[in-house]
């Protein structure tokens, strides 16, 4: 069914757009969050770009693949030998924040509050998706905590079943090493409305309450 | 103020992403409908693509610029000398549909109802944006209607002030040539709700009513 729809959709594409245009629409559609309509809009936009702008876009796509690799210390994306955070002498090396994905480190950096260093797992434990602990950078995390002068490990995976499970699993491995292991708080988002909060969030907000 | 925000935003970008990644995020952000968050998501997706997929995307961007040009007859996008619609012997050359943009011709083609040929204006008359009639393919339309065996011209610009103005302007030029000039109907969209329709649409639906 889906196959038939795909084929008929492809026929429509070939019929209605010139071939290079259909190809570009198709490439844009493969990107996350880009539907057929947005893909068409983007492709028509590229057609109206200057030659230089189109070349800049194409070059940026290729350069990111060619130049970005994983930092051998924290496994975040970098174009250096060691990433700018790991090689920054002003960062506090005794405070380690564990995140699932590079984008989570970006989110944390945007707060301008965290002055420690990161460890990027490259995902979360998810048996449903066939992701086991051995597929994440957990072994590397354990050896890092064992060797380095780390005093506290902040587990900052998402407050989801997979994120919580991953944090619990890691805490179980790190505590015997004598490191202080903490978890980012679960609770009401700032500016949120009690009345609209889901039950799970309210329960967490209640359980994580503290004296003020 | 906006300048300062832009500069500070750029600094944030440079700080938090490796340079090639920041560049790609920036390139994606220039595309229509792509905000900072989507741009980041797309860039991280490209990083996880295979080498071949990234090359296919980059090549599609460059190919579309290199291979697509305007059809000399209808001014739609094409990678041929004359576009597939204009060179199709099965299309009715006596029925001409005038649209503002290539994407409007795509929309019309998707109906599978129109068997005539097109004329793409390349925009609409819009004094606010500095677009006058001389910047559109209106002169070419007039000479086409004067020369060819065209019996009816369907004006299919958007039902907006600019689209209506452009259609009125073109009708004024074409009627003296003896061509039948029609306008696509304005009214209630199929599946629409009277209760939610805006006043302007309802007024049009009333004015365009016909006996059934």
């Amino acid at each position: 069914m889906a196959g038939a729809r795909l084929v008929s959709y492809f026929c429509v594409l070939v019929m209605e757009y010139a071939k290079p245009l259909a190809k570009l629409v198709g490439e844009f559609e493969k990107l996350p969050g880009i539907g057929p309509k947005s893909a068409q809009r983007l492709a028509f936009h590229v057609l109206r770009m200057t030659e230089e702008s189109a070349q800049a876009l194409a070059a940026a796509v290729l350069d990111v693949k060619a130049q970005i690799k994983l930092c051998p210390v924290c496994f975040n994306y970098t174009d250096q030998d060691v990433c700018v955070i790991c090689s920054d002498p002003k960062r506090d090396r005794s405070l380690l924040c564990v995140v699932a994905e590079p984008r989570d480190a970006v989110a944390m950096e945007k707060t301008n509050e965290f002055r420690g260093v990161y460890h990027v797992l490259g995902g979360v434990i998810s048996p449903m998706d066939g992701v086991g602990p051995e597929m994440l950078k957990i072994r590397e995390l354990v050896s890092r905590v064992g060797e380095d002068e780390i005093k506290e490990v902040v587990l900052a995976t998402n407050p989801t079943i997979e994120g919580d499970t991953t944090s619990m699993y890691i805490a179980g491995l790190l505590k015997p090493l004598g490191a202080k292991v903490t978890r980012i708080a679960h609770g009401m988002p700032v500016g949120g409305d009690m009345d609209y909060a889901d039950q799970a969030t309210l329960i967490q907000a209640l359980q994580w309450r503290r004296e003020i």
Side-chain angles (χ1 to χ4, degrees), chain A:
Chain A
M1 182 61 196
R5 267 175 61 198
L6 218 98
V7 168
S8 86
Y9 185 68
F10 187 69
C11 291
V12 166
L13 271 183
V14 168
M15 261 175 48
E16 285 155 9
Y17 301 111
K19 226 174 280 164
L21 194 53
K23 180 95 182 81
L24 184 58
V25 172
E27 290 297 330
F28 277 134
E29 264 192 84
K30 290 181 195 164
L31 299 176
I34 308 284
K37 205 77 194 169
S38 305
Q40 180 191 302
R41 188 176 169 202
L42 292 174
F44 279 127
H45 179 85
V46 169
L47 265 175
R48 277 187 295 195
M49 275 180 173
T50 62
E51 194 65 38
E52 294 74 44
S53 302
Q55 273 163 3
L57 173 60
V61 168
L62 296 177
D63 288 351
V64 94
K65 290 298 286 183
Q67 295 171 18
I68 295 278
K69 50 190 190 307
L70 296 184
C71 170
V73 180
C74 72
F75 304 100
N76 202 344
Y77 290 134
T78 184
D79 60 341
Q80 318 278 315
D81 287 335
V82 172
C83 81
V84 282
I85 294 175
C86 287
S87 57
D88 183 349
K90 291 200 295 278
R91 307 291 296 222
D92 179 359
R93 247 151 272 268
S94 71
L95 181 61
L96 183 68
C97 178
V98 176
V99 293
E101 301 284 356
R103 63 171 173 268
D104 302 328
V106 171
M108 194 62 96
E109 280 299 282
K110 279 188 179 158
T111 65
N112 277 321
E113 274 296 313
F114 184 73
R115 299 309 301 161
V117 290
Y118 293 94
H119 190 91
V120 180
L121 296 172
V124 283
I125 300 171
S126 174
M128 296 279 281
D129 302 316
V131 181
E134 73 288 350
M135 296 163 77
L136 307 173
K137 303 291 183 192
I138 293 179
R139 203 180 317 114
E140 291 81 352
L141 171 63
V142 173
S143 77
R144 212 176 150 186
V145 173
E147 288 164 18
D148 291 3
E149 74 277 45
I150 291 158
K151 293 208 189 92
E152 180 180 348
V153 178
V154 184
L155 299 173
T157 56
N158 282 338
T160 57
I161 291 176
E162 287 86 1
D164 285 337
T165 306
T166 307
S167 280
M168 291 301 287
Y169 179 85
I170 291 172
L173 293 174
L174 296 186
K175 279 192 173 165
L177 301 177
K180 180 178 172 189
V181 181
T182 57
R183 179 91 174 97
I184 52 163
H186 295 12
M188 287 288 297
V190 175
D193 189 327
M194 290 286 294
D195 198 26
Y196 285 90
D198 61 299
Q199 270 190 308
T201 297
L202 273 187
I203 290 169
Q204 295 279 0
L206 197 62
Q207 285 175 349
W208 286 69
R209 75 187 182 277
R210 64 176 184 191
E211 212 168 334
I212 52 168

